[in-house]
Amino acid sequence: MFKFLRSIKWPVTALALACALLSAAARAQEATPLPALPNVMDVRVSDTPERARLIVDLAAKTEFALVSLDGPNRLAIDVRAATFSVPEPTGQPAGEGIVSGYEIEQAAPDRVRTILTLAQPAQVQQAYVLDAFEDQPARLVVDIIPATPEEFAANVTRDRAASTDIAAAPAQSTPAGGSELPIATRPLVVIDPGHGGIDSGAEAANGIKEKDIVLAFALKLQQLLVESGRVDVALTREDDTFLRLEERVALARSNKADLFISIHADSFQQPEIRGASVYTRDENATDVLDKVLADNENKTDVIAGFTMPQMAPEVVDILIDLMRREMRKQSYLAAQSIVHQLEPSVELRRFPVRQANFFVLQAPDVPSVLIELGFLSNATDMANLMQSDWQERTANALARGISTYFDSLKTEE
């Protein structure tokens, strides 16, 4: 700095000195490049009459913005990115329903835009960005559901008034368990951390017990759901307590739960089997592994000296008949919604919506699902289950799945 000042010929005005300093600062700023914006690696759209999903694979996390457009009806999604290398920048979605086509363009040097042409009025239900994880890149996920013409027109008017520049105000990710849709009354979700007390459940070679993993995860999921403000939440156990299977079901029924979720992380003799899955109750298991898992869980009460309650045949017939009707349908919808949100976030088993005869899913008047987070017998699953980032990512996905399930019930009304 002193050398620079001595090189100026005196006398010099204060204005000239200020200009010289600003010019030097500008040159220094030019010499320090800004962080590079990421590349958009891939864009894909899946579509059904009930919902569509846009997934944008990114070289790194970045900001995004959304806007509704008419003439024709479209949704435009911008991400802050310098380039895109999408193999097919125009095309048709996988499936038929809400979206009739899409295209990707470089809207500006710092923006890549995806334009979805709509076959019917639609609205964004959830939008969020995921960190890169394992072999998955960072991702923007946008879930889209049908809207009335009036709702779509209102969104167009709102977005037009907000800004003429789609990327002027970056959007915020929808909170886990949250949604763009309002909800009138808060449903009750009962979370059941499996095992507890004398029943440790599965146990890893290093002594880690299933009962501890699922309780910690259930508490994290409860916190996310409570923070969303959309649902009320209760746990069947909040500490290392043993509950009979019958008691777990009774807690959900007596509190008139709107959804019962049992959380587990089992083991199996084949260590290569890994990934999350979601079960609904069915007397016929999807495969042999599912039957083994259900049989093992159903023996839980024997550990503490209890036996399964024996019901009169006519009562069993009534329960099974009810289960096969409305509650079986609702349980399957809940399982689908949860898997739909888990899919871009974590490793899933092949055919992740599965069936088995779990006693804990027997309630005839409460939609019920069982979540297998992974397998303690698989080294990768075990490492993930102990990792806070994975727990957070999976709990966020589950919270979103629960939210989308209740949103789907509203759209059916």
Side-chain angles (χ1 to χ4, degrees):
M1 176 62 75
F2 291 113
K3 184 177 180 181
F4 169 73
L5 288 175
R6 287 178 58 192
S7 69
I8 301 174
K9 293 183 178 180
W10 301 94
V12 62
T13 65
L15 177 61
L17 178 58
C19 290
L21 291 171
L22 287 171
S23 177
R27 287 195 299 273
Q29 189 174 14
E30 289 174 1
T32 306
L34 295 172
L37 292 172
N39 176 55
V40 174
M41 302 158 58
D42 196 12
V43 172
R44 53 197 178 278
V45 181
S46 58
D47 197 22
T48 71
E50 292 78 31
R51 66 171 57 248
R53 166 171 280 172
L54 166 71
I55 294 180
V56 180
D57 287 345
L58 303 160
K61 285 186 72 173
T62 190
E63 295 178 322
F64 68 96
L66 311 161
V67 68
S68 301
L69 304 168
D70 58 3
N73 291 352
R74 290 157 294 155
L75 290 173
I77 302 95
D78 272 14
V79 293
R80 288 202 179 278
T83 54
F84 71 92
S85 54
V86 179
E88 298 180 6
T90 61
Q92 305 295 316
E96 293 184 3
I98 300 172
V99 178
S100 60
Y102 65 91
E103 58 182 302
I104 300 101
E105 63 183 23
Q106 191 80 44
D110 65 342
R111 278 181 281 156
V112 173
R113 177 171 298 168
T114 301
I115 300 175
L116 306 179
T117 302
L118 301 176
Q120 65 183 76
Q123 59 190 334
V124 172
Q125 180 187 33
Q126 297 186 107
Y128 52 94
V129 178
L130 296 169
D131 287 308
F133 186 79
E134 292 187 337
D135 59 346
Q136 298 177 1
R139 283 174 173 165
L140 168 65
V141 181
V142 182
D143 285 329
I144 300 155
I145 59 174
T148 65
E150 294 76 17
E151 287 171 332
F152 183 80
N155 290 342
V156 170
T157 302
R158 176 202 63 198
D159 294 343
R160 187 179 292 137
S163 175
T164 56
D165 182 355
I166 181 176
Q172 297 294 318
S173 290
T174 309
S179 169
E180 293 292 322
L181 304 185
I183 190 165
T185 58
R186 292 194 296 191
L188 172 63
V189 177
V190 172
I191 303 172
D192 172 44
H195 308 283
I198 193 173
D199 173 25
S200 298
E203 187 170 341
N206 60 1
I208 298 296
K209 296 177 175 60
E210 179 184 3
K211 67 174 183 178
D212 299 323
I213 288 177
V214 298
L215 177 59
F217 185 88
L219 291 168
K220 189 182 294 286
L221 177 59
Q222 179 191 36
Q223 181 181 355
L224 287 171
L225 290 171
V226 169
E227 288 174 354
S228 77
R230 300 190 89 230
V231 297
D232 293 323
V233 189
L235 269 63
T236 57
R237 67 179 182 97
E238 297 180 344
D239 53 24
D240 190 17
T241 301
F242 176 82
L243 288 172
R244 288 180 290 143
L245 300 177
E246 185 182 19
E247 291 176 309
R248 298 170 191 266
V249 177
L251 281 170
R253 297 191 66 199
S254 62
N255 287 284
K256 296 181 172 27
D258 297 282
L259 181 63
F260 175 83
I261 299 177
S262 192
I263 308 289
H264 291 262
D266 279 296
S267 291
F268 194 59
Q269 60 199 26
Q270 297 176 5
E272 68 275 11
I273 292 177
R274 65 164 300 209
S277 53
V278 184
Y279 285 87
T280 60
R281 187 170 187 257
D282 196 299
E283 292 73 33
N284 300 309
T286 306
D287 59 26
V288 173
L289 168 57
D290 300 326
K291 184 178 187 307
V292 170
L293 292 178
D295 288 345
N296 287 342
E297 294 296 341
N298 292 345
K299 292 175 183 174
T300 293
D301 286 357
V302 178
I303 294 173
F306 296 99
T307 57
M308 291 293 179
Q310 299 297 313
M311 292 177 283
E314 60 272 16
V315 176
V316 174
D317 290 342
I318 294 171
L319 287 177
I320 291 174
D321 185 55
L322 287 171
M323 191 66 182
R324 282 175 178 164
R325 295 184 183 181
E326 187 60 22
M327 287 306 103
R328 183 161 292 184
K329 173 189 170 186
Q330 297 302 330
S331 299
Y332 184 73
L333 289 175
Q336 280 189 314
S337 294
I338 290 169
V339 164
H340 190 68
Q341 294 301 324
L342 286 171
E343 193 172 28
S345 302
V346 298
E347 182 76 17
L348 295 175
R349 285 180 64 194
R350 190 183 181 192
F351 308 120
V353 178
R354 310 180 75 87
Q355 289 78 44
N357 191 24
F358 288 100
F359 181 87
V360 78
L361 302 181
Q362 70 149 344
D365 48 359
V366 180
S368 305
V369 296
L370 185 144
I371 313 290
E372 284 285 357
L373 296 175
F375 290 83
L376 301 187
S377 46
N378 178 272
T380 304
D381 273 5
M382 182 62 203
N384 284 340
L385 287 163
M386 299 302 296
Q387 187 184 94
S388 60
D389 287 349
W390 184 91
Q391 295 168 8
E392 191 74 25
R393 187 183 183 97
T394 307
N396 271 265
L398 273 178
R400 291 191 180 101
I402 292 166
S403 178
T404 57
Y405 164 66
F406 288 117
D407 283 346
S408 71
L409 299 184
K410 287 184 63 181
T411 57
E412 287 183 355
E413 292 175 357

